[in-house]
Amino acid sequence: MSTKIKGGSNTAGEANVTTDYALQVSLERDAENNPENISGIKIFSENDSGTKTGTPYLYSPETDEDYRLRVSQDTFLDNETFNYTAQNTGKHTYATSTLTGTWTTAGFTTNGGNVTTTGTGMAFGTYAEFPLITSGLLYCEFTGSLSAALTTNFVIDAGLFRRGASTAYAPTDGVYFRVNASGMFGVINYNGAETTTSAFSFTHTNSKKYQFIIVVSEREVQFWIDNILYAKLDTPVGQGVPYMSTTLPFSVRHAHTATTGSAIQFNLNDYGVSIAGGNIVKTLGEVGNAVFGSYQGLSGGTMGSLASYANSANPTAAAPSNTALTANLPSGLGGQGAVTAAVGGSTDGIWGSYQVPAGTVSIQGKRLKITGVRVDAVNIGAAVATTSTTVQFSLAFGHTAVSLATAEAVAAKAPRRVALGFMSWVVGAAIGTSPTQGAINAMFPEPIYVNSGEFVQLVGKFLVGTATVSQVIQFVWQPIYSWE
């Protein structure tokens, strides 16, 4: 049976309708006097319109038992832009067999030599690995392009996966985009067993940059290109999570299974990994050390440890200068050094010096955040004679030239100073004696910031001393720092 509703235009006893014959409906607005008439509305968010999948992707928000809407924030785990010309060996590992990768200011490129040779391959990725945490989401995002039309006998994978140990470096576990002669796919790999989507309805334009996003939860994996959802893969039956590993690195691999029909390259411009769903509290400095590396060089700059600390070697003694770092004294962000004992006076000497890399289009212009400094020393070479030895230490920072005499000006900064303390050795202090006060451990509740291009230096001044022949103060210094 059917019921006809007669529509009217503000006519008593008749329903109002729109010009396209939809009923005009309003909900009860007086919750205080008519609570029994209040009805509920289901709220959904459209995450994707279904342009490629054919079905809109909708989810409703979640409210807890105390009426709070569930919210969360993203936590950055790693991020990198490839605008420099040499590998960051502190963050990334690289393996190759004939097919090589190249670093330029335009990005990291697979198959830099444009070879078509069979049985060749390369793999690139992070040392760091990234977790999927319970009800949270793990995001992997990267931007890149393909240089040519798809050809035969090649495969490129990019995403979160464990790289194979040898050519063709095939993934052994993970989730990733794959492109080969048949097109582009999404892949779930559980300890070597792959589950793939159908080929996407996607045709690339040569050298055009696309944004690729993988969203991982315990129950499904989504594959997005330029903010359009192309496919979802449910976690295979019998598996608790999409992949067997509890953590995965970001990886790219390119391999030729036979001689390819023509050369093809993948150019990677950047990548980022983040986690969502949990309110993980981290300072910007903690995030910086996780992303940029702890106590090591930044991408585009000096690789390896930033501390001047030669392996299995003692430093050569030198006399500090007020205007430059004397040869043999530590030129890193911390390290070991040796200073010849001097007559007491008023001259500040640079015992250790580091310049924060100046930002350029290819070098990250980061701020150095210092939360503490440790200095320790020992008397060597000869016992303290005639008079005691006393050294006053300070931290100089923020100056735009190496000299401690740098003057403040409209385009230059003089050094800022923070006192660190004193070290003293009494007359007769033997070789190997530590200072009377022990080590200096200066902590800064309010951090010290040093901008890109500026210097930070350990400064020492002999207040008392007699320059005993062969007497040397051997020291170590270490700023406690992070990058922001």
Side-chain angles (χ1 to χ4, degrees):
M1 123 178 225
S2 61
T3 301
K4 290 184 178 180
I5 300 175
K6 185 178 180 180
S9 177
N10 295 321
T11 302
E14 295 180 358
N16 287 346
V17 295
T18 65
T19 55
D20 58 355
Y21 311 111
L23 279 172
Q24 291 183 333
V25 179
S26 64
L27 299 175
E28 177 63 64
R29 292 185 289 265
D30 190 350
E32 181 177 354
N33 295 311
N34 301 308
E36 69 279 359
N37 293 338
I38 298 297
S39 58
I41 296 177
K42 293 181 179 179
I43 303 173
F44 285 85
S45 298
E46 184 181 78
N47 295 340
D48 181 74
S49 64
T51 302
K52 296 296 181 179
T53 62
T55 304
Y57 178 39
L58 306 176
Y59 263 96
S60 60
E62 182 179 334
T63 305
D64 69 13
E65 295 298 323
D66 201 27
Y67 319 112
R68 291 169 297 208
L69 194 66
R70 183 175 181 180
V71 296
S72 65
Q73 62 186 16
D74 291 353
T75 300
F76 294 104
L77 301 179
D78 197 8
N79 187 79
E80 189 77 3
T81 298
F82 296 94
N83 58 355
Y84 47 87
T85 57
Q87 178 188 349
N88 183 336
T89 55
K91 287 188 66 173
H92 303 130
T93 179
Y94 166 64
T96 179
S97 176
T98 303
L99 194 155
T100 58
T102 56
W103 285 260
T104 70
T105 56
F108 170 74
T109 302
T110 68
N111 194 16
N114 274 318
V115 302
T116 60
T117 315
T118 184
T120 60
M122 59 127 294
F124 167 84
T126 61
Y127 284 107
E129 299 194 4
F130 312 105
L132 174 62
I133 300 176
T134 58
S135 60
L137 299 175
L138 180 61
Y139 288 88
C140 173
E141 174 184 339
F142 58 94
T143 303
S145 60
L146 291 164
S147 64
L150 304 185
T151 187
T152 56
N153 305 320
F154 86 100
V155 59
I156 296 173
D157 296 323
L160 298 168
F161 63 85
R162 297 199 175 282
R163 304 169 292 272
S166 58
T167 313
Y169 308 106
T172 60
D173 196 46
V175 289
Y176 39 93
F177 284 92
R178 168 170 290 165
V179 60
N180 57 26
S182 300
M184 186 171 290
F185 306 81
V187 183
I188 286 178
N189 183 329
Y190 189 89
N191 196 31
E194 290 189 342
T195 303
T196 64
T197 67
S198 300
F200 299 156
S201 176
F202 172 78
T203 302
H204 75 278
T205 299
N206 294 349
S207 300
K208 180 180 178 180
K209 303 301 177 183
Y210 298 93
Q211 179 193 52
F212 301 89
I213 301 176
I214 303 172
V215 184
V216 187
S217 70
E218 287 192 339
R219 304 315 307 148
E220 72 174 20
V221 180
Q222 303 165 13
F223 299 91
W224 300 69
I225 303 175
D226 283 350
N227 292 318
I228 296 175
L229 179 64
Y230 275 76
K232 294 188 291 184
L233 278 177
D234 290 334
T235 298
V237 176
Q239 296 174 200
V241 290
Y243 41 82
M244 191 169 180
S245 302
T246 55
T247 59
L248 289 171
F250 173 77
S251 303
V252 176
R253 74 111 177 189
H254 184 156
H256 294 168
T257 55
T259 301
T260 61
S262 58
I264 189 169
Q265 301 171 323
F266 176 66
N267 179 259
L268 177 67
N269 294 99
D270 57 48
Y271 73 84
V273 183
S274 60
I275 194 167
N279 289 320
I280 301 172
V281 179
K282 283 189 173 183
T283 66
L284 189 57
E286 289 173 327
V287 173
N289 270 15
V291 171
F292 308 122
S294 300
Y295 297 88
Q296 64 182 29
L298 299 171
S299 296
T302 301
M303 292 291 96
S305 173
L306 292 182
S308 181
Y309 209 111
N311 182 47
S312 298
N314 288 325
T316 300
S321 164
N322 179 262
T323 57
L325 182 69
T326 307
N328 297 321
L329 291 178
S331 59
L333 193 49
Q336 62 175 349
V339 168
T340 53
V343 175
S346 60
T347 302
D348 286 321
I350 302 170
W351 288 41
S353 180
Y354 176 77
Q355 184 179 21
V356 178
T360 70
V361 294
S362 298
I363 296 176
Q364 302 179 51
K366 298 299 178 184
R367 288 202 303 172
L368 179 68
K369 175 184 178 182
I370 301 175
T371 56
V373 175
R374 175 177 173 81
V375 183
D376 204 356
V378 65
N379 181 68
I380 63 172
V384 178
T386 310
T387 62
S388 63
T389 298
T390 300
V391 185
Q392 175 180 301
F393 287 102
S394 63
L395 186 71
F397 64 92
H399 38 316
T400 51
V402 66
S403 173
L404 291 172
T406 302
E408 194 84 5
V410 294
K413 291 174 64 177
R416 281 64 175 145
R417 294 291 192 98
V418 172
L420 298 179
F422 299 89
M423 288 185 175
S424 299
W425 288 264
V426 298
V427 174
I431 294 173
T433 302
S434 297
T436 303
Q437 300 89 340
I440 293 173
N441 291 286
M443 302 303 296
F444 310 129
E446 299 302 328
I448 290 171
Y449 286 92
V450 187
N451 297 312
S452 63
E454 297 176 354
F455 287 83
V456 57
Q457 296 170 333
L458 176 66
V459 177
K461 173 163 55 181
F462 282 93
L463 295 178
V464 181
T466 55
T468 302
V469 176
S470 301
Q471 184 189 353
V472 171
I473 304 300
Q474 184 159 328
F475 68 97
V476 292
W477 84 291
Q478 182 59 65
I480 301 168
Y481 67 89
S482 57
W483 299 104
E484 290 189 359

